[in-house]
Amino acid sequence: MDGIKYAVVTDKSIRLLSKNNQYTSNVESGSTRTEIKHSVELFFGVKIIAMNSHRLRGKGKRMGSIMGQTMHYRRMIITLQPGYSIPPFRKKRT
């Protein structure tokens, strides 16, 4: 699970999960679709029908007079076969 950073929990991602069995997560921008697909199938034991991905640009941040930018990232939407599901992603407890 090196490529997947964390699950995305937004209104749209919850709607996709309930209607279409689609899971949304942010992944490392250098990882490929096949790497993510194989790691998800092996780790969770599910079958993937389709994967959609898009690259999101980092947001501009200002610190005084210096303008910087956050890191770019990639988001994957994974569609599972009917009958398969991924257990909820859990936050680390401190």
Side-chain angles (χ1 to χ4, degrees):
M1 295 306 296
D2 294 334
I4 295 179
K5 289 183 179 178
Y6 52 89
V8 176
V9 181
T10 60
D11 292 337
K12 183 179 179 180
S13 67
I14 293 170
R15 187 176 59 238
L16 288 174
L17 178 61
S18 63
K19 286 186 177 182
N20 304 329
N21 201 21
Q22 293 180 332
Y23 291 84
T24 306
S25 61
N26 285 349
V27 298
E28 293 182 13
S29 58
S31 57
T32 63
R33 293 168 57 108
T34 54
E35 290 173 355
I36 298 297
K37 182 177 180 180
H38 290 302
S39 65
V40 168
E41 286 181 340
L42 289 174
F43 189 76
F44 293 111
V46 296
K47 298 290 181 183
I48 295 176
I49 294 175
M51 291 180 64
N52 297 330
S53 67
H54 58 280
R55 185 173 167 267
L56 298 162
R57 294 196 53 164
K59 297 180 180 179
K61 298 288 181 182
R62 179 177 299 278
M63 294 189 82
S65 61
I66 299 170
M67 186 66 178
Q69 193 171 24
T70 60
M71 297 293 290
H72 304 303
Y73 59 97
R74 176 184 252 174
R75 183 167 287 168
M76 290 282 205
I77 301 173
I78 300 169
T79 306
L80 300 181
Q81 285 185 353
Y84 287 99
S85 65
I86 295 176
F89 292 95
R90 297 183 182 178
K91 288 175 32 175
K92 293 182 181 177
R93 298 181 82 181
T94 57

